[in-house]
Structure formats: C-alpha cells, structure tokens
Amino acid sequence: MPTELVMPHEAVERFFGRLIDEGPVMGPRERVSQPGFIHFDWLSDAADLRLNYQTTTIPPKKAFFPPREVLFEFELTDPLKITAVREAESFTLVGVHPCDLAALRMLDDAYAREPAEACWPANRARARVIGVDCMPDEYCFCTSTDSCYSRAACDLFLTPIERGYLVEVLTPAGEDMLRVSDVSEATDEDREQAEAFRREKAGAMTARLDATPEELAEILESEEHTELWKEIASRCYSCGSCNTTCPTCFCFDINDEFDLGLTGGRRMRSWDSCQLAEFALVAGGHNFRRLRWQRVRHRWYRKFVYLYRTFGRPYCTGCGRCSRACTADINIVDVTNEIINRARERDRQGVQG
Ligand code: SF4
Ligand code: SF4
C-alpha cells in the first residue's frame, strides 16, 4: 500500500450501489428542491451520486460534526437521569475533494488537543472515506495552502482518467471496500493520465496567495493595527456565513433545551461563529471582540497565525467557500493579498526612506 487500480466507467455505479446496500453512504448529490445545487446528503441510489461537482456550499465535515446535534437527554429526577444520545452506525462518506480531506485531518488534530473533544473522533471512527479529484473554479486557491493534492483521512482516492477512475488504495479499509469490485491493475498510461489531470488542475488555478504560509503569518503579525481591518469591517455584516461554510472552523456552542413541562430536556451542540457579535461575550457583560473589525481580524489571525503557529500549517484549505458565501463580496484571497502588498510596499518605502 498504496496501490493503484483502475475502476472502469461501467463498474462505478455498481461499486457505489454495493456500498449503499452495505450501509449508510453520504455523498454529493443534487438537491431535490433545487436542481443544479449539489450538496452532501445521504444516498439511497448510486445513480444520484455526482462525483464531478464544484465545491459544495456546506463542507462534508457535517457528516462528523452536524450543524446541530443532541449530545444527551436529561430528566430532572432525583437523582438526575442522563441518557447519552450517540450515533453508533458505521457509514461511508464519498466524493470528498482533496481540500476537504485536508480539512478533516486538521479537525482531527484540533479536536485531539488537550482537553480533547470526544464526539469528533468517535464519529470519525465510524466512517470510511473516499476522496475524488476535482477542477478549480475562480475562488479555489488550494495550491497556496498545500491542500491541492491531499490524501489525508481517506481510504480510497479516485482520479478521473479515460477508462474511468484511477483508484489509490490507501488503507486496509479501502482495500476491503474493493474486495468484490471490477478493478484492474493501473498501467503507466493510466498513471500518466491521472498525473495530467493533476497538472491541468494546478494550471487552471487562477487565484493564489502572494506569500508562503510562513511569510503570511509573519506579515499578519506585523499588520495587527493596519487600517485595512476597519475598511473590511465597514463592508462586513457579521452574518457568520464565512464561518458556517468553512471546512476548518470547529467552534461550537452548547445549550440546554427544556421540554414544556420543565421535567427534562436535551443538551444541544451547534456550530458557532467568531464573526457574530456575542461570540466573545463572557460573564459580566465583557466582550473581548466587541468591535466588528476586531472580529474580522480575528478570523484572519485564527486561520493564518494562531493555528499555523500551533500546528505548523494554515487552517485554511483554499476551498474558497467563505468568498463564495459572503454577501458583502469579501474575498479571502483579495483581502489577504492586499494585506501582503501593503506590508511589502511599506517595507519598501521604509528601506528607501
Ligand atoms: S460572510 Fe462576509 S459579511 Fe458575513 S461575516 Fe463573513 S465576511 Fe462578514
Ligand atoms: S477560510 Fe475560507 S478558503 Fe479557507 S478553508 Fe475556510 S472557507 Fe475555505
């Protein structure tokens, strides 16, 4: 391992159909009420699977970290009765792009840090993952974040070639999924076609950051007080869409919901957003990031400085979702490059002066 095999076109639907027969499968499919809109959802028919799709609005992390979930139910008896509500069924997540695979590994690492979080690794352990390669649109910049060729966190990875898919078998679980499939050994020509696909992908990437992750972290650290944060904030609505669409955001909120009779209820966990005004509000009414520009700056620092310094890589995959989703048209690549260029220009003027 890894081994490279070929799954011909005619075997693809049969393969995914068998996975669906074996257990729950989540993958990209067209939303019934919105033709053309592709999202990750449970599949009951392999014919619904769309492996050739542009980045979804909501990332596949939702398979392991749902936007809203019940952690446990409680009854206000004496003693208090608590019943854990945890899914236990195994499932398969299919059709995950390289950038979203990279994000899964980032969340593996983030949630494993002490004090470790328990739900994410339990959900990850229930799932097999199949990745698939893709072509970028004008928002993608994964070549700048080292996520373009990620094979992290997946058992099989598919690359389109003339005969069907070149299948990289990356784990024993991946090997097991292929046990009764019509696959054959890849030839040099198949490998060359997969390589050509990757070259075409990188060549088609029009958006890119003008600095390496290390340079960017240093520049941001020196640009803490740039006026640009206020300029961006003057356009930002603090809607939080940039966070809720981000595959690497992992903050959540916890609330208890009571039944009408107040005899019990459930503890809920839901996605949170550092762009919302109350995110940094603490007891006593103090808000650590009361001003919008402070929250905008925090998002950049979180992605490219704090977590970069902690984990040695930016916590941004370059998927472009935040830019696509932003109602104020705030584009992460444009803003980041503006910060980089202003900092370099100031340095140049400093040297000349
Ligand atoms: S999506 Fe855009 S407008 Fe909404 S909080 Fe993020 S940057 Fe601001
Ligand atoms: S910050 Fe934006 S581009 Fe980066 S991973 Fe999150 S959604 Fe994707």
Side-chain angles (χ1 to χ4, degrees):
M1 242 173 278
T3 315
E4 288 172 329
L5 302 170
V6 169
M7 185 181 293
H9 291 294
E10 60 276 16
V12 174
E13 199 169 306
R14 233 179 1 255
F15 170 69
F16 286 104
R18 189 173 55 73
L19 291 186
I20 291 169
D21 289 343
E22 283 174 9
V25 174
M26 181 185 275
R29 60 172 293 175
E30 201 169 50
R31 183 179 274 166
V32 178
S33 60
Q34 209 176 346
F37 182 90
I38 304 294
H39 68 146
F40 276 85
D41 197 6
W42 299 106
L43 296 160
S44 54
D45 186 342
D48 292 336
L49 180 63
R50 295 283 177 276
L51 286 175
N52 180 9
Y53 69 98
Q54 283 296 331
T55 313
T56 54
T57 302
I58 300 296
K61 76 173 181 190
K62 71 175 187 179
F64 310 107
F65 176 26
R68 236 171 97 75
E69 66 179 324
V70 182
L71 294 180
F72 59 78
E73 292 172 341
F74 55 84
E75 289 174 44
L76 299 177
T77 48
D78 188 15
L80 183 72
K81 188 175 168 204
I82 290 180
T83 312
V85 180
R86 298 297 312 154
E87 290 284 348
E89 198 176 4
S90 297
F91 67 98
T92 311
L93 175 65
V94 309
V96 183
H97 286 170
C99 60
D100 286 334
L101 292 172
L104 294 182
R105 181 49 49 76
M106 290 181 202
L107 297 202
D108 288 345
D109 295 343
Y111 282 133
R113 256 186 103 208
E114 293 297 334
E117 193 272 349
C119 301
W120 175 271
N123 286 339
R124 287 277 286 117
R126 293 194 290 121
R128 305 178 296 190
V129 179
I130 301 179
V132 67
D133 218 340
C134 48
M135 280 292 159
D137 70 5
E138 70 271 28
Y139 292 101
C140 298
F141 59 103
C142 57
T143 44
S144 299
T145 58
D146 206 19
S147 302
C148 196
Y149 307 111
S150 178
R151 300 290 185 269
C154 76
D155 302 294
L156 295 176
F157 189 86
L158 315 181
T159 305
I161 55 172
E162 279 173 22
R163 292 206 282 152
Y165 288 103
L166 183 93
V167 183
E168 292 169 53
V169 186
L170 300 160
T171 67
E175 201 170 57
D176 186 55
M177 277 189 269
L178 291 170
R179 67 190 180 284
V180 287
S181 302
D182 307 324
V183 287
S184 57
E185 288 291 323
T187 63
D188 287 347
E189 194 184 338
D190 296 322
R191 287 191 194 87
E192 172 47 36
Q193 286 174 9
E195 192 51 46
F197 184 92
R198 291 188 278 273
R199 281 195 302 272
E200 188 186 340
K201 174 181 180 172
M205 200 87 50
T206 52
R208 59 181 55 85
L209 300 180
D210 293 337
T212 64
E214 177 59 26
E215 288 168 344
L216 178 56
E218 284 171 14
I219 289 170
L220 284 172
E221 281 166 333
S222 70
E223 292 302 303
E224 199 180 341
H225 300 294
T226 175
E227 279 300 304
L228 190 60
W229 300 126
K230 291 179 184 161
E231 291 170 30
I232 303 161
S234 70
R235 291 162 51 202
C236 171
Y237 301 121
S238 291
C239 66
S241 300
C242 44
N243 292 133
T244 49
T245 55
C246 179
T248 71
C249 278
F250 53 85
C251 291
F252 56 81
D253 201 4
I254 302 275
N255 287 297
D256 286 348
E257 284 183 0
F258 283 84
D259 295 332
L260 282 179
L262 299 181
T263 55
R266 61 210 59 77
R267 179 155 294 181
M268 304 296 302
R269 175 165 97 147
S270 45
W271 290 358
D272 206 349
S273 160
C274 61
Q275 298 309 292
L276 302 181
E278 326 79 57
F279 183 83
L281 183 67
V282 294
H286 181 70
N287 192 330
F288 287 97
R289 288 187 288 277
R290 186 174 61 82
L291 301 173
R292 188 170 294 170
W293 69 265
Q294 295 170 326
R295 300 194 292 278
V296 167
R297 181 180 66 180
H298 176 76
R299 184 159 79 91
W300 260 265
Y301 271 59
R302 183 86 174 147
K303 299 289 173 204
F304 298 111
V305 181
Y306 306 144
L307 293 171
Y308 175 74
R309 293 286 179 228
T310 305
F311 295 105
R313 59 176 180 270
Y315 259 54
C316 169
T317 64
C319 71
R321 283 187 176 91
C322 53
S323 305
R324 285 185 205 95
C326 181
T327 40
D329 206 19
I330 294 169
N331 182 305
I332 190 166
V333 173
D334 294 347
V335 170
T336 307
N337 285 341
E338 181 68 20
I339 295 168
I340 294 166
N341 294 334
R342 283 194 195 187
R344 286 183 176 154
E345 183 56 32
R346 213 198 33 248
D347 284 353
R348 268 194 294 275
Q349 285 174 359
V351 169
Q352 281 165 9

PDB file of all heavy atoms in Angstrom, residues 222-249:
ATOM      1  N   SER A 222       2.766  41.462  11.851  1.00  0.00           N
ATOM      2  CA  SER A 222       3.240  42.848  11.821  1.00  0.00           C
ATOM      3  C   SER A 222       2.125  43.819  11.410  1.00  0.00           C
ATOM      4  O   SER A 222       2.310  45.031  11.457  1.00  0.00           O
ATOM      5  CB  SER A 222       4.418  42.984  10.851  1.00  0.00           C
ATOM      6  OG  SER A 222       3.950  42.838   9.521  1.00  0.00           O
ATOM      7  N   GLU A 223       0.977  43.285  10.991  1.00  0.00           N
ATOM      8  CA  GLU A 223      -0.108  44.139  10.484  1.00  0.00           C
ATOM      9  C   GLU A 223      -1.307  44.184  11.434  1.00  0.00           C
ATOM     10  O   GLU A 223      -2.441  44.378  11.004  1.00  0.00           O
ATOM     11  CB  GLU A 223      -0.573  43.622   9.108  1.00  0.00           C
ATOM     12  CG  GLU A 223       0.442  43.791   8.009  1.00  0.00           C
ATOM     13  CD  GLU A 223       0.852  45.237   7.808  1.00  0.00           C
ATOM     14  OE1 GLU A 223      -0.004  46.084   7.561  1.00  0.00           O
ATOM     15  OE2 GLU A 223       2.068  45.524   7.932  1.00  0.00           O
ATOM     16  N   GLU A 224      -1.019  44.000  12.706  1.00  0.00           N
ATOM     17  CA  GLU A 224      -2.104  43.942  13.689  1.00  0.00           C
ATOM     18  C   GLU A 224      -2.949  45.214  13.673  1.00  0.00           C
ATOM     19  O   GLU A 224      -4.156  45.174  13.891  1.00  0.00           O
ATOM     20  CB  GLU A 224      -1.471  43.746  15.079  1.00  0.00           C
ATOM     21  CG  GLU A 224      -2.423  43.228  16.095  1.00  0.00           C
ATOM     22  CD  GLU A 224      -1.735  43.060  17.447  1.00  0.00           C
ATOM     23  OE1 GLU A 224      -0.473  43.005  17.478  1.00  0.00           O
ATOM     24  OE2 GLU A 224      -2.446  43.000  18.449  1.00  0.00           O
ATOM     25  N   HIS A 225      -2.300  46.353  13.396  1.00  0.00           N
ATOM     26  CA  HIS A 225      -3.025  47.616  13.506  1.00  0.00           C
ATOM     27  C   HIS A 225      -3.291  48.268  12.150  1.00  0.00           C
ATOM     28  O   HIS A 225      -3.569  49.464  12.081  1.00  0.00           O
ATOM     29  CB  HIS A 225      -2.247  48.577  14.414  1.00  0.00           C
ATOM     30  CG  HIS A 225      -2.063  48.013  15.790  1.00  0.00           C
ATOM     31  ND1 HIS A 225      -3.119  47.793  16.643  1.00  0.00           N
ATOM     32  CD2 HIS A 225      -0.958  47.557  16.443  1.00  0.00           C
ATOM     33  CE1 HIS A 225      -2.681  47.251  17.762  1.00  0.00           C
ATOM     34  NE2 HIS A 225      -1.372  47.093  17.665  1.00  0.00           N
ATOM     35  N   THR A 226      -3.209  47.485  11.079  1.00  0.00           N
ATOM     36  CA  THR A 226      -3.461  48.085   9.768  1.00  0.00           C
ATOM     37  C   THR A 226      -4.902  48.583   9.675  1.00  0.00           C
ATOM     38  O   THR A 226      -5.828  47.965  10.210  1.00  0.00           O
ATOM     39  CB  THR A 226      -3.169  47.075   8.628  1.00  0.00           C
ATOM     40  OG1 THR A 226      -3.536  47.685   7.404  1.00  0.00           O
ATOM     41  CG2 THR A 226      -3.962  45.798   8.768  1.00  0.00           C
ATOM     42  N   GLU A 227      -5.067  49.692   8.969  1.00  0.00           N
ATOM     43  CA  GLU A 227      -6.405  50.273   8.789  1.00  0.00           C
ATOM     44  C   GLU A 227      -7.301  49.354   7.955  1.00  0.00           C
ATOM     45  O   GLU A 227      -8.521  49.487   7.959  1.00  0.00           O
ATOM     46  CB  GLU A 227      -6.286  51.636   8.077  1.00  0.00           C
ATOM     47  CG  GLU A 227      -5.921  52.781   8.995  1.00  0.00           C
ATOM     48  CD  GLU A 227      -6.952  52.999  10.105  1.00  0.00           C
ATOM     49  OE1 GLU A 227      -8.141  53.199   9.780  1.00  0.00           O
ATOM     50  OE2 GLU A 227      -6.566  52.951  11.285  1.00  0.00           O
ATOM     51  N   LEU A 228      -6.670  48.429   7.240  1.00  0.00           N
ATOM     52  CA  LEU A 228      -7.446  47.555   6.348  1.00  0.00           C
ATOM     53  C   LEU A 228      -8.507  46.773   7.112  1.00  0.00           C
ATOM     54  O   LEU A 228      -9.592  46.518   6.597  1.00  0.00           O
ATOM     55  CB  LEU A 228      -6.497  46.599   5.612  1.00  0.00           C
ATOM     56  CG  LEU A 228      -7.124  45.782   4.479  1.00  0.00           C
ATOM     57  CD1 LEU A 228      -7.690  46.695   3.404  1.00  0.00           C
ATOM     58  CD2 LEU A 228      -6.102  44.836   3.870  1.00  0.00           C
ATOM     59  N   TRP A 229      -8.208  46.397   8.363  1.00  0.00           N
ATOM     60  CA  TRP A 229      -9.217  45.640   9.140  1.00  0.00           C
ATOM     61  C   TRP A 229     -10.505  46.454   9.248  1.00  0.00           C
ATOM     62  O   TRP A 229     -11.599  45.912   9.146  1.00  0.00           O
ATOM     63  CB  TRP A 229      -8.677  45.306  10.531  1.00  0.00           C
ATOM     64  CG  TRP A 229      -7.423  44.470  10.509  1.00  0.00           C
ATOM     65  CD1 TRP A 229      -6.242  44.750  11.112  1.00  0.00           C
ATOM     66  CD2 TRP A 229      -7.232  43.210   9.848  1.00  0.00           C
ATOM     67  NE1 TRP A 229      -5.320  43.762  10.868  1.00  0.00           N
ATOM     68  CE2 TRP A 229      -5.901  42.820  10.094  1.00  0.00           C
ATOM     69  CE3 TRP A 229      -8.047  42.393   9.056  1.00  0.00           C
ATOM     70  CZ2 TRP A 229      -5.362  41.627   9.588  1.00  0.00           C
ATOM     71  CZ3 TRP A 229      -7.528  41.210   8.553  1.00  0.00           C
ATOM     72  CH2 TRP A 229      -6.204  40.845   8.819  1.00  0.00           C
ATOM     73  N   LYS A 230     -10.354  47.757   9.468  1.00  0.00           N
ATOM     74  CA  LYS A 230     -11.555  48.605   9.606  1.00  0.00           C
ATOM     75  C   LYS A 230     -12.238  48.790   8.253  1.00  0.00           C
ATOM     76  O   LYS A 230     -13.459  48.853   8.159  1.00  0.00           O
ATOM     77  CB  LYS A 230     -11.187  49.946  10.236  1.00  0.00           C
ATOM     78  CG  LYS A 230     -10.778  49.768  11.695  1.00  0.00           C
ATOM     79  CD  LYS A 230     -10.372  51.050  12.366  1.00  0.00           C
ATOM     80  CE  LYS A 230      -9.885  50.718  13.770  1.00  0.00           C
ATOM     81  NZ  LYS A 230      -9.081  51.740  14.380  1.00  0.00           N
ATOM     82  N   GLU A 231     -11.435  48.867   7.202  1.00  0.00           N
ATOM     83  CA  GLU A 231     -12.026  49.010   5.857  1.00  0.00           C
ATOM     84  C   GLU A 231     -12.868  47.784   5.515  1.00  0.00           C
ATOM     85  O   GLU A 231     -13.978  47.892   5.008  1.00  0.00           O
ATOM     86  CB  GLU A 231     -10.916  49.182   4.805  1.00  0.00           C
ATOM     87  CG  GLU A 231     -10.171  50.508   4.899  1.00  0.00           C
ATOM     88  CD  GLU A 231      -8.937  50.522   3.992  1.00  0.00           C
ATOM     89  OE1 GLU A 231      -8.943  49.852   2.936  1.00  0.00           O
ATOM     90  OE2 GLU A 231      -7.956  51.202   4.345  1.00  0.00           O
ATOM     91  N   ILE A 232     -12.335  46.608   5.804  1.00  0.00           N
ATOM     92  CA  ILE A 232     -13.095  45.374   5.502  1.00  0.00           C
ATOM     93  C   ILE A 232     -14.332  45.319   6.398  1.00  0.00           C
ATOM     94  O   ILE A 232     -15.434  45.001   5.948  1.00  0.00           O
ATOM     95  CB  ILE A 232     -12.236  44.114   5.733  1.00  0.00           C
ATOM     96  CG1 ILE A 232     -10.974  44.169   4.892  1.00  0.00           C
ATOM     97  CG2 ILE A 232     -13.016  42.846   5.384  1.00  0.00           C
ATOM     98  CD1 ILE A 232      -9.899  43.236   5.395  1.00  0.00           C
ATOM     99  N   ALA A 233     -14.129  45.639   7.664  1.00  0.00           N
ATOM    100  CA  ALA A 233     -15.244  45.563   8.609  1.00  0.00           C
ATOM    101  C   ALA A 233     -16.377  46.514   8.226  1.00  0.00           C
ATOM    102  O   ALA A 233     -17.541  46.239   8.515  1.00  0.00           O
ATOM    103  CB  ALA A 233     -14.750  45.872  10.018  1.00  0.00           C
ATOM    104  N   SER A 234     -16.055  47.602   7.553  1.00  0.00           N
ATOM    105  CA  SER A 234     -17.111  48.546   7.169  1.00  0.00           C
ATOM    106  C   SER A 234     -18.047  47.930   6.127  1.00  0.00           C
ATOM    107  O   SER A 234     -19.158  48.402   5.927  1.00  0.00           O
ATOM    108  CB  SER A 234     -16.503  49.841   6.625  1.00  0.00           C
ATOM    109  OG  SER A 234     -15.893  49.595   5.366  1.00  0.00           O
ATOM    110  N   ARG A 235     -17.589  46.866   5.469  1.00  0.00           N
ATOM    111  CA  ARG A 235     -18.452  46.174   4.493  1.00  0.00           C
ATOM    112  C   ARG A 235     -19.081  44.922   5.082  1.00  0.00           C
ATOM    113  O   ARG A 235     -20.064  44.419   4.565  1.00  0.00           O
ATOM    114  CB  ARG A 235     -17.602  45.765   3.273  1.00  0.00           C
ATOM    115  CG  ARG A 235     -17.134  46.950   2.449  1.00  0.00           C
ATOM    116  CD  ARG A 235     -15.951  46.548   1.550  1.00  0.00           C
ATOM    117  NE  ARG A 235     -16.210  45.356   0.764  1.00  0.00           N
ATOM    118  CZ  ARG A 235     -15.258  44.573   0.246  1.00  0.00           C
ATOM    119  NH1 ARG A 235     -13.984  44.867   0.438  1.00  0.00           N
ATOM    120  NH2 ARG A 235     -15.568  43.509  -0.459  1.00  0.00           N
ATOM    121  N   CYS A 236     -18.483  44.379   6.133  1.00  0.00           N
ATOM    122  CA  CYS A 236     -18.912  43.084   6.684  1.00  0.00           C
ATOM    123  C   CYS A 236     -20.222  43.236   7.461  1.00  0.00           C
ATOM    124  O   CYS A 236     -20.408  44.203   8.189  1.00  0.00           O
ATOM    125  CB  CYS A 236     -17.803  42.561   7.595  1.00  0.00           C
ATOM    126  SG  CYS A 236     -18.255  41.112   8.552  1.00  0.00           S
ATOM    127  N   TYR A 237     -21.131  42.256   7.293  1.00  0.00           N
ATOM    128  CA  TYR A 237     -22.426  42.292   8.002  1.00  0.00           C
ATOM    129  C   TYR A 237     -22.400  41.488   9.310  1.00  0.00           C
ATOM    130  O   TYR A 237     -23.427  41.350   9.959  1.00  0.00           O
ATOM    131  CB  TYR A 237     -23.525  41.701   7.117  1.00  0.00           C
ATOM    132  CG  TYR A 237     -23.720  42.415   5.802  1.00  0.00           C
ATOM    133  CD1 TYR A 237     -23.575  41.731   4.598  1.00  0.00           C
ATOM    134  CD2 TYR A 237     -24.060  43.762   5.771  1.00  0.00           C
ATOM    135  CE1 TYR A 237     -23.751  42.373   3.386  1.00  0.00           C
ATOM    136  CE2 TYR A 237     -24.238  44.412   4.556  1.00  0.00           C
ATOM    137  CZ  TYR A 237     -24.086  43.708   3.370  1.00  0.00           C
ATOM    138  OH  TYR A 237     -24.260  44.348   2.179  1.00  0.00           O
ATOM    139  N   SER A 238     -21.277  40.875   9.640  1.00  0.00           N
ATOM    140  CA  SER A 238     -21.204  39.981  10.817  1.00  0.00           C
ATOM    141  C   SER A 238     -22.264  38.884  10.736  1.00  0.00           C
ATOM    142  O   SER A 238     -22.875  38.532  11.752  1.00  0.00           O
ATOM    143  CB  SER A 238     -21.386  40.759  12.126  1.00  0.00           C
ATOM    144  OG  SER A 238     -20.281  41.593  12.347  1.00  0.00           O
ATOM    145  N   CYS A 239     -22.478  38.362   9.535  1.00  0.00           N
ATOM    146  CA  CYS A 239     -23.527  37.332   9.377  1.00  0.00           C
ATOM    147  C   CYS A 239     -23.028  35.948   9.764  1.00  0.00           C
ATOM    148  O   CYS A 239     -23.814  35.047  10.048  1.00  0.00           O
ATOM    149  CB  CYS A 239     -24.018  37.318   7.938  1.00  0.00           C
ATOM    150  SG  CYS A 239     -22.771  36.783   6.752  1.00  0.00           S
ATOM    151  N   GLY A 240     -21.714  35.742   9.718  1.00  0.00           N
ATOM    152  CA  GLY A 240     -21.141  34.454  10.095  1.00  0.00           C
ATOM    153  C   GLY A 240     -21.128  33.417   8.994  1.00  0.00           C
ATOM    154  O   GLY A 240     -20.686  32.284   9.218  1.00  0.00           O
ATOM    155  N   SER A 241     -21.571  33.765   7.786  1.00  0.00           N
ATOM    156  CA  SER A 241     -21.600  32.767   6.700  1.00  0.00           C
ATOM    157  C   SER A 241     -20.199  32.245   6.375  1.00  0.00           C
ATOM    158  O   SER A 241     -20.032  31.089   5.982  1.00  0.00           O
ATOM    159  CB  SER A 241     -22.196  33.370   5.430  1.00  0.00           C
ATOM    160  OG  SER A 241     -23.490  33.806   5.673  1.00  0.00           O
ATOM    161  N   CYS A 242     -19.190  33.122   6.542  1.00  0.00           N
ATOM    162  CA  CYS A 242     -17.816  32.685   6.233  1.00  0.00           C
ATOM    163  C   CYS A 242     -17.394  31.559   7.174  1.00  0.00           C
ATOM    164  O   CYS A 242     -16.630  30.669   6.772  1.00  0.00           O
ATOM    165  CB  CYS A 242     -16.848  33.852   6.309  1.00  0.00           C
ATOM    166  SG  CYS A 242     -17.082  34.907   7.741  1.00  0.00           S
ATOM    167  N   ASN A 243     -17.889  31.580   8.399  1.00  0.00           N
ATOM    168  CA  ASN A 243     -17.562  30.513   9.349  1.00  0.00           C
ATOM    169  C   ASN A 243     -18.392  29.260   9.105  1.00  0.00           C
ATOM    170  O   ASN A 243     -17.874  28.133   9.144  1.00  0.00           O
ATOM    171  CB  ASN A 243     -17.817  30.957  10.793  1.00  0.00           C
ATOM    172  CG  ASN A 243     -16.865  32.042  11.264  1.00  0.00           C
ATOM    173  OD1 ASN A 243     -17.295  33.024  11.835  1.00  0.00           O
ATOM    174  ND2 ASN A 243     -15.576  31.863  11.024  1.00  0.00           N
ATOM    175  N   THR A 244     -19.684  29.458   8.859  1.00  0.00           N
ATOM    176  CA  THR A 244     -20.550  28.273   8.755  1.00  0.00           C
ATOM    177  C   THR A 244     -20.292  27.483   7.472  1.00  0.00           C
ATOM    178  O   THR A 244     -20.672  26.326   7.381  1.00  0.00           O
ATOM    179  CB  THR A 244     -22.037  28.656   8.848  1.00  0.00           C
ATOM    180  OG1 THR A 244     -22.287  29.730   7.965  1.00  0.00           O
ATOM    181  CG2 THR A 244     -22.416  29.071  10.251  1.00  0.00           C
ATOM    182  N   THR A 245     -19.650  28.094   6.495  1.00  0.00           N
ATOM    183  CA  THR A 245     -19.320  27.346   5.286  1.00  0.00           C
ATOM    184  C   THR A 245     -17.877  26.818   5.312  1.00  0.00           C
ATOM    185  O   THR A 245     -17.472  26.100   4.402  1.00  0.00           O
ATOM    186  CB  THR A 245     -19.488  28.227   4.028  1.00  0.00           C
ATOM    187  OG1 THR A 245     -18.698  29.415   4.198  1.00  0.00           O
ATOM    188  CG2 THR A 245     -20.942  28.610   3.809  1.00  0.00           C
ATOM    189  N   CYS A 246     -17.126  27.169   6.333  1.00  0.00           N
ATOM    190  CA  CYS A 246     -15.691  26.837   6.345  1.00  0.00           C
ATOM    191  C   CYS A 246     -15.442  25.406   6.822  1.00  0.00           C
ATOM    192  O   CYS A 246     -15.926  25.019   7.888  1.00  0.00           O
ATOM    193  CB  CYS A 246     -14.944  27.821   7.242  1.00  0.00           C
ATOM    194  SG  CYS A 246     -13.173  27.448   7.328  1.00  0.00           S
ATOM    195  N   PRO A 247     -14.668  24.622   6.075  1.00  0.00           N
ATOM    196  CA  PRO A 247     -14.402  23.235   6.481  1.00  0.00           C
ATOM    197  C   PRO A 247     -13.454  23.108   7.667  1.00  0.00           C
ATOM    198  O   PRO A 247     -13.338  22.029   8.243  1.00  0.00           O
ATOM    199  CB  PRO A 247     -13.773  22.626   5.225  1.00  0.00           C
ATOM    200  CG  PRO A 247     -13.119  23.774   4.540  1.00  0.00           C
ATOM    201  CD  PRO A 247     -14.017  24.947   4.788  1.00  0.00           C
ATOM    202  N   THR A 248     -12.746  24.204   8.013  1.00  0.00           N
ATOM    203  CA  THR A 248     -11.778  24.088   9.118  1.00  0.00           C
ATOM    204  C   THR A 248     -12.242  24.796  10.391  1.00  0.00           C
ATOM    205  O   THR A 248     -11.539  24.739  11.397  1.00  0.00           O
ATOM    206  CB  THR A 248     -10.394  24.645   8.709  1.00  0.00           C
ATOM    207  OG1 THR A 248     -10.483  26.064   8.605  1.00  0.00           O
ATOM    208  CG2 THR A 248      -9.917  24.057   7.397  1.00  0.00           C
ATOM    209  N   CYS A 249     -13.381  25.474  10.347  1.00  0.00           N
ATOM    210  CA  CYS A 249     -13.898  26.102  11.573  1.00  0.00           C
ATOM    211  C   CYS A 249     -14.455  25.003  12.471  1.00  0.00           C
ATOM    212  O   CYS A 249     -15.211  24.144  12.004  1.00  0.00           O
ATOM    213  CB  CYS A 249     -14.994  27.109  11.239  1.00  0.00           C
ATOM    214  SG  CYS A 249     -14.345  28.713  10.728  1.00  0.00           S
TER     215      CYS A 249
END
